Amino acid sequence: MLRNAAIIGCGQTKHSGRRRDVSQAELVSEAVHNALEDAQVSMKEVNALVVGNMQGFGGVAQPELWIGDWIGAPGKPVLRIATGGTTGGSVGQGGFYAVMSGLYDIVVATAWEKHSDSKEAGATTGLLHVALANFFHAFGYGLSMKNLLATSAVGAAAGVAAYQARFYMHRSGCRSEHFDMVAAKCRRNAARNKYAHLQWPNCTPEDIHKTDVIVHPFRMGHVCPASDGASAIVIACEDIALKKCQRPAWVKGLASYSDEENQMQSESGGGVGVLDPSEQMGCRLSAMKAYAQAGIKDPQQEIDVAEIYQPVPSQELFFSEKLGLFDEGKAWIALEKGETEINGRMPCDPSGGVNATNAIGSSALQRILEAGLQVMGKAEDHQVPKKVRNAVAHGWGGVTNYVTVTVLGETPAPRR
Amino acid sequence: MQRRVAIVGYAQSEYQFDVPRTREDQVFDVVKAALRHAGILREEVDSVVTASSDFLDGRTISNVFLSMAVGAYQKDESKVEEDGTGALLYGLMRILAGTHDVVTVEAHTLASTINPHQILFYALDPLFDRQVGLLNDIAASAIQARMYMKKYSVPEEAVAMVSVKNLANAALNPLTHRKMPDLTVEEVLNSKIYYEPIRELMIPPITDGVCALILASEEKAREITDRPVWIEGVGTCQDHYLRERNLTQLESLQKAAAQAYEMAGIKDPYREIDVFEVSERFAHEELMISEALGLAREGRGQVLIEKGLTGLDGEIPINPSGGALSADPICATGLTRVIEAAKQIREEAENHQILGVTRALAHGQFGICAQKNTVFILGGDR
Amino acid sequence: MAYLKDQRRETMMVEGSWNIGAYRYKGSTQLQEYVDGLKEKKLIGSLCPGCGKVIVQPRNICGRCHRRMDKRMVVSHKGTITCFVISPPIEKGKYKIIGIDPVEAGIIQEGAILVPVFVRFDGADSNINTILLNSSPEQVHIGMRVKAVFVENPEGKLSDLEGVEPLKE
Ligand SMILES: [Zn+2]
């Protein structure tokens, strides 16, 4: 990196299933307003914005053109980035690059999703669209309804994640009960985060275990909700960050590697060469590059807290391994020992994570934001009770092939 | 800028309507051709930035099944959802930040998949304009054209002359879509009316197109080619939504151009820039763009076209390639302008080559009535 | 943070639609080659001349080598289960896919337990997502050997491959 950048302010909205008190534009402005207030920066001082969501969910094409007026964008550069589930992570990284490039000094990065704007439950209008073109194509070649329904009906709620979980269980020896433990931990942590969606104080693994099975190995209690919400961060260059903020969260490393699609389908119905969708080479490569930039040699020792994108609990386990926080296949053992609790050795998702709050476009930016809060010491009730030198934020999406990894720290990265 | 960055290779598909090939095939071929033009392998690329739109491609996460075709397998990649000049800006930022050295930038829209004008309807304020149902992008631009022409007494003939010039230039460009070498002002003014005063030949045809270019840091660019095209300046700006905007001027383009000129050290664009490639989605926009770029005083863009200054042999040639009026593959339109500008500098434009080009300007836009504008200044080794 | 509202009031609801029926996607014809193979009870995959990977169903482009996978290969009917999931007993009104309730439509029997699996056929470097037939949820395991089950009279459709069943070797 030729120029340092840091988060100097964070803002998010209250997340819930239906934010019926605001429009999409008002929702975004709420987050941006909160971020600017937190950073003590006025919109006049902001040089550029990086924005993003998934257009299909809100049903508005290029919403930044309409929403721009609500967030002070007119007259400024606006870059729209959208990469599916990782949209927020890509938007955050776009904001960092904008400052690191030297082109802009203060940048606001904001991402959002308003699921309840979609009439259908779970906002499936947008999600199905990923596959629709391919389904229609396959129907043309006599795909039977029976096959489609059988293979996708049972997986509709969990999709490829259920297969991922099975692969991971087979590799590591982890059991469905461990998923109960992760989900319960996320609900409990969320109860300490006033912005989170699914809050459940004192939730126990037994509580989760009582919920219905959707598809083995997943229960209803394992799955993330669909939330309405937005998040925003203010990013500044070194001089301004030092002037404006007592304890900025410095960007030390960032990468977003993509792998081959691994959801059994490529363009026009072809197969894919990734046999195990929990392999996640994109995550490994991203983590390796981000750690190298950050000068981190041993993530197990040098990372103090992780914000992992985990719509289902199994993902927290195997992604934490791919991020190098635990040995391969050992994350569930650390979970059993309580190491991933807020007060544990390697806290994972002290905010409750995506498992408790999932406003898709926003989710991965929220990971960066929450990691930033931990570094800045501003996470309030869910602040980890130890010194945070480095925090890692992860995002995941696409047809399971896109990953963003961002490392934030209390000091800038060592110069190359 | 913290580093010098250059364009070292590029490629375009042949812009046509309803090209009988899949999205994946076209993207693969163009990226492959761009790498070949630069003379490098996929392995030498650090990062890939693409531009496409979920609505225009008709798929959520429009880039998701294209990662392999675009050569992003196990590469640091991202996608912007707007004009290709946005992807170029993001690729540039990645190199300037010092984290990457070689970046592939790709943009595409196969507009035959769905009528793009229908999509822009969904970009209207969903709570009001979409409900009222009176506006679409062509109607809004017709309002803009009427206001602009009325305010500055611009005759219809001047607007039609833009179409005549660009579509005749297009006839010299083998890759573009609508070519009309013998078009006359009368024919333009007698073509089918869409929304008064906008007529069929004042709007681009619906086009499928893919283009890609390779960006490299100075060090790498010198290794790769002896004819790098340097990015000397960049500026971008978003304007107000339709309602709050002064439609008779492109204020966001003025700001974008001012940023780019300052970065490139340009005081007098009329004299210092040799050729202009701009994204005029409607014929009247080229006049407004030329004013916003500082080539003519407010409302006097008509003089440039009437005096022939913007023609192939004029003092300030605009769109020798035929411009957006000859082919408009939405997300790829702006990046095509950048490629055409680079061609002029490298003297690879063949039939529509302008002699002695050392500096060129490329412009991309997005949104209804050019709400978002991006300007790049390119220069060769001098 | 000033904007955090505790008391919320509903806004008005404005209806809107998104007409996706108008898209005209361009598909490739590689699936045609695959279903032509199914008609002869053959499983056809694409072979990459660069890395030698064989992908079933065939795909066009190998991202690893960034080249076209223009060669074709026939793979074995025998294969191995690499992954599986087990549904709870399917109930009426629980799932809807593209607006269809599979029980109501008579496609799946009420109370049936489905076992969707990933199968890697011998000679392929990819999985196929299909259903395990003639077996039970207790029997299925990773590494289980299976063979392809075709319909009696294949017509050259994707549905010609019904699923897989346990293989006794
Ligand atoms: Zn290969």
Side-chain angles (χ1 to χ4, degrees):
Chain A
M1 282 175 220
L2 296 172
R3 191 183 197 224
N4 287 319
I7 300 176
I8 61 166
C10 304
Q12 50 182 321
T13 65
K14 170 67 191 166
H15 291 74
S16 67
R18 292 169 72 79
R19 279 295 305 271
R20 294 280 298 120
D21 57 326
V22 287
S23 71
Q24 201 180 133
E26 289 165 333
L27 185 77
V28 183
S29 73
E30 193 175 313
V32 171
H33 177 98
N34 286 343
L36 291 172
E37 193 172 272
D38 186 40
Q40 293 292 306
V41 167
S42 77
M43 200 64 215
K44 272 192 188 137
E45 297 170 77
V46 174
N47 303 124
L49 293 97
V50 181
V51 303
N53 78 325
M54 282 175 79
Q55 313 191 46
F57 290 123
V60 183
Q62 305 297 131
E64 84 283 5
L65 298 175
W66 158 58
I67 290 174
D69 285 25
W70 269 260
I71 55 175
K76 298 187 197 304
V78 178
L79 188 63
R80 177 183 168 83
I81 297 177
T83 54
T86 52
T87 292
S90 304
V91 165
Q93 296 195 343
F96 295 135
Y97 281 117
V99 173
M100 283 154 54
S101 70
L103 294 178
Y104 309 109
D105 291 336
I106 303 185
V107 171
V108 168
T110 181
W112 67 92
E113 214 66 76
K114 197 158 185 297
H115 279 127
S116 69
D117 275 3
S118 172
K119 215 171 173 181
E120 287 158 54
T124 44
T125 325
L127 261 189
L128 265 183
H129 230 58
V130 177
L132 266 186
N134 278 9
F135 277 151
F136 288 146
H137 185 60
F139 281 137
Y141 292 102
L143 174 68
S144 83
M145 249 354 237
K146 185 179 176 186
N147 258 299
L148 174 69
L149 292 170
T151 50
S152 66
V154 290
V160 75
Y163 294 101
Q164 275 183 331
R166 181 69 69 186
F167 270 110
Y168 177 68
M169 289 160 79
H170 183 70
R171 277 198 284 117
S172 70
C174 144
R175 298 181 306 279
S176 177
E177 293 79 73
H178 296 105
F179 302 161
D180 299 342
M181 292 166 70
V182 174
K185 184 203 71 175
C186 289
R187 306 283 179 273
R188 287 197 306 274
N189 289 355
R192 299 164 74 159
N193 174 2
K194 64 185 176 192
Y195 299 105
H197 182 176
L198 278 190
Q199 301 173 328
W200 190 345
N202 307 317
C203 178
T204 63
E206 290 71 39
D207 292 331
I208 301 288
H209 199 77
K210 281 178 207 147
T211 58
D212 285 349
V213 171
I214 314 173
V215 48
H216 287 286
F218 284 148
R219 295 178 178 280
M220 210 55 209
H222 291 155
V223 180
C224 66
S227 318
D228 285 357
S231 40
I233 53 176
V234 181
I235 304 159
C237 63
E238 187 160 351
D239 310 348
I240 294 173
L242 290 173
K243 215 180 291 168
K244 291 252 181 200
C245 188
Q246 285 217 311
R247 199 180 152 80
W250 298 96
V251 188
K252 299 178 72 171
L254 71 176
S256 57
Y257 279 76
S258 97
D259 197 353
E260 187 174 4
E261 310 93 342
N262 28 110
Q263 209 170 336
M264 310 306 301
Q265 224 179 28
S266 63
E267 179 101 341
S268 300
V272 294
V274 174
L275 289 167
D276 174 355
S278 71
E279 178 66 34
Q280 292 298 320
M281 191 53 83
C283 184
R284 248 182 238 246
L285 291 170
S286 300
M288 274 165 56
K289 175 154 181 214
Y291 291 150
Q293 285 173 347
I296 289 175
K297 295 198 176 58
D298 181 2
Q300 299 201 9
Q301 298 303 322
E302 294 172 69
I303 299 285
D304 297 306
V305 56
E307 278 287 340
I308 297 165
Y309 193 104
Q310 23 72 301
V312 289
S314 46
Q315 291 171 343
E316 179 174 315
L317 298 173
F318 68 74
F319 276 126
S320 63
E321 293 167 11
K322 304 296 171 194
L323 289 168
L325 306 179
F326 303 104
D327 289 343
E328 196 68 31
K330 297 287 191 296
W332 60 277
I333 298 170
L335 171 79
E336 276 182 349
K337 290 187 199 153
E339 287 183 18
T340 57
E341 296 284 338
I342 284 188
N343 56 4
R345 187 184 67 80
M346 181 66 77
C348 288
D349 289 289
S351 65
V354 181
N355 198 241
T357 310
N358 193 5
I360 296 191
S362 155
S363 290
L365 183 59
Q366 229 184 342
R367 306 281 69 73
I368 294 176
L369 183 153
E370 288 288 350
L373 287 179
Q374 295 290 349
V375 173
M376 295 159 92
K378 291 203 287 198
E380 299 179 357
D381 289 346
H382 61 285
Q383 179 72 39
V384 300
K386 63 172 177 181
K387 188 172 159 61
V388 178
R389 296 160 300 166
N390 292 306
V392 63
H394 159 256
W396 171 75
V399 282
T400 83
N401 54 341
Y402 295 154
V403 168
T404 57
V405 174
T406 312
V407 179
L408 302 174
E410 57 170 0
T411 52
R415 288 294 165 121
R416 280 204 293 175
Chain B
M1 282 191 252
Q2 293 179 162
R3 303 172 90 183
R4 290 187 83 196
V5 178
I7 296 166
V8 296
Y10 47 76
Q12 280 171 259
S13 69
E14 197 171 327
Y15 294 173
Q16 289 299 332
F17 178 71
D18 217 4
V19 178
R21 303 180 56 214
T22 65
R23 194 175 67 134
E24 189 185 34
D25 256 355
Q26 296 191 47
V27 169
F28 174 79
D29 278 351
V30 167
V31 170
K32 203 84 180 157
L35 290 167
R36 208 179 306 124
H37 187 251
I40 60 170
L41 297 170
R42 189 189 85 89
E43 284 67 24
E44 296 171 63
V45 174
D46 298 326
S47 179
V48 178
V49 183
T50 59
S52 59
S53 149
D54 290 9
F55 272 75
L56 290 168
D57 277 21
R59 299 158 189 262
T60 298
I61 326 179
S62 52
N63 54 330
V64 84
F65 290 125
L66 293 178
S67 298
M68 302 300 102
V70 85
Y73 174 67
Q74 299 197 346
K75 299 272 180 208
D76 201 336
E77 66 78 46
S78 199
K79 175 197 111 186
V80 306
E81 197 159 52
E82 53 168 279
D83 186 64
T85 45
L88 180 58
L89 174 61
Y90 191 15
L92 173 70
M93 294 195 305
R94 285 184 168 219
I95 296 179
L96 289 178
T99 49
H100 300 87
D101 286 309
V102 181
V103 177
T104 302
V105 179
E106 182 267 348
H108 70 265
T109 293
L110 309 188
S112 63
T113 310
I114 190 170
N115 182 350
H117 299 297
Q118 190 181 344
I119 295 299
L120 275 168
F121 175 72
Y122 296 122
L124 289 166
D125 176 350
L127 304 175
F128 185 78
D129 291 326
R130 203 204 278 191
Q131 301 298 321
V132 175
L134 289 174
L135 278 184
N136 57 40
D137 66 316
I138 305 177
S141 294
I143 294 172
Q144 180 184 41
R146 180 55 77 208
M147 287 170 78
Y148 170 73
M149 288 161 72
K150 181 89 179 30
K151 184 170 179 188
Y152 302 112
S153 312
V154 181
E156 271 191 326
E157 287 73 19
V159 176
M161 283 169 79
V162 173
S163 298
V164 171
K165 166 182 73 83
N166 288 358
L167 297 180
N169 290 354
L172 304 172
N173 178 356
L175 293 175
T176 198
H177 184 181
R178 183 177 274 166
K179 305 169 189 183
M180 302 178 101
D182 306 314
L183 188 66
T184 63
V185 169
E186 290 68 42
E187 280 169 334
V188 176
L189 292 179
N190 288 327
S191 64
K192 193 176 134 199
I193 194 137
Y194 277 41
Y195 289 87
E196 178 77 34
I198 289 183
R199 291 168 184 276
E200 191 182 4
L201 292 177
M202 299 176 181
I203 310 180
I206 289 175
T207 305
D208 297 355
V210 184
C211 63
L213 58 78
I214 314 291
L215 272 185
S217 62
E218 178 166 19
E219 209 175 284
K220 286 280 177 188
R222 299 263 186 229
E223 282 174 26
I224 294 169
T225 178
D226 47 9
R227 281 190 298 165
V229 176
W230 303 104
I231 295 181
E232 297 186 349
V234 57
T236 176
C237 184
Q238 176 171 321
D239 219 323
H240 282 282
Y241 180 70
L242 212 50
R243 277 195 292 272
E244 340 283 325
R245 205 179 333 157
N246 171 9
L247 282 177
T248 60
Q249 280 180 30
L250 297 174
E251 281 173 27
S252 61
L253 179 54
Q254 290 170 9
K255 284 185 184 155
Q259 291 164 22
Y261 291 159
E262 198 196 328
M263 207 180 282
I266 290 173
K267 304 241 157 33
D268 183 356
Y270 191 99
R271 285 180 211 298
E272 294 177 61
I273 299 174
D274 304 314
V275 63
F276 299 79
E277 278 286 344
V278 304
S279 299
E280 73 312 0
R281 278 230 154 93
F282 296 91
H284 70 274
E285 281 183 1
E286 184 172 306
L287 305 180
M288 299 178 69
I289 289 167
S290 60
E291 293 164 25
L293 292 178
L295 304 176
R297 274 187 296 122
E298 184 183 332
R300 305 302 289 162
Q302 50 180 307
V303 179
L304 302 179
I305 187 84
E306 281 163 0
K307 292 199 171 162
L309 297 171
T310 54
L312 276 181
D313 45 8
E315 280 184 41
I316 43 161
I318 298 184
N319 284 332
S321 70
L325 278 179
S326 68
D328 183 19
I330 321 291
C331 290
T333 303
L335 200 62
T336 304
R337 304 278 77 74
V338 175
I339 290 173
E340 287 292 348
K343 274 187 190 170
Q344 293 288 350
I345 290 170
R346 286 173 62 129
E347 295 181 347
E348 288 175 0
E350 298 179 5
N351 291 336
H352 58 284
Q353 179 68 46
I354 307 293
L355 293 177
V357 174
T358 52
R359 208 178 228 170
L361 179 148
H363 157 252
Q365 60 144 305
F366 211 79
I368 293 172
C369 294
Q371 187 175 351
K372 201 188 267 186
N373 289 282
T374 307
V375 171
F376 277 91
I377 311 285
L378 307 179
D381 269 322
R382 261 164 294 183
Chain C
M1 294 187 183
Y3 258 52
L4 193 60
K5 296 176 187 173
D6 293 325
Q7 295 244 316
R8 291 184 220 114
R9 286 180 47 215
E10 290 223 342
T11 53
M12 68 185 281
M13 171 88 83
V14 181
E15 291 272 331
S17 64
W18 174 20
N19 179 9
I20 57 168
Y23 285 106
R24 296 183 304 152
Y25 302 109
K26 292 204 168 67
S28 82
T29 52
Q30 68 210 358
L31 272 189
Q32 189 60 50
E33 298 173 41
Y34 179 70
V35 295
D36 286 350
L38 289 182
K39 197 170 180 184
E40 294 160 29
K41 300 198 178 182
K42 278 183 190 158
L43 293 168
I44 292 180
S46 54
L47 167 70
C48 175
C51 59
K53 276 195 191 295
V54 178
I55 307 292
V56 184
Q57 309 161 9
R59 71 174 295 166
N60 265 344
I61 283 160
C62 176
R64 292 170 177 76
C65 313
H66 206 224
R67 63 190 292 176
R68 283 217 160 72
M69 299 182 89
D70 36 19
K71 294 210 161 46
R72 295 289 180 262
M73 274 274 282
V74 177
V75 300
S76 169
H77 281 191
K78 298 176 187 170
T80 308
I81 288 185
T82 57
C83 193
F84 64 93
V85 293
I86 303 169
S87 80
I90 302 288
E91 290 165 32
K92 207 173 183 171
K94 206 157 184 188
Y95 305 107
K96 255 194 179 163
I97 295 294
I98 332 183
I100 298 170
D101 183 320
V103 180
E104 220 172 78
I107 295 167
I108 297 172
Q109 251 185 343
E110 177 134 36
I113 295 178
L114 298 174
V115 186
V117 291
F118 280 13
V119 178
R120 181 179 177 183
F121 288 106
D122 298 349
D125 296 292
S126 66
N127 295 318
I128 267 202
N129 190 4
T130 184
I131 310 163
L132 181 63
L133 307 167
N134 308 329
S135 182
S136 69
E138 292 77 38
Q139 275 185 319
V140 63
H141 59 270
I142 289 174
M144 185 178 183
R145 293 290 289 165
V146 290
K147 68 170 196 275
V149 178
F150 290 90
V151 295
E152 226 161 273
N153 298 308
E155 302 168 56
K157 286 178 170 178
L158 284 172
S159 55
D160 289 348
L161 178 64
E162 264 190 306
V164 292
E165 63 180 9
L167 171 71
K168 287 166 199 82
E169 277 175 318

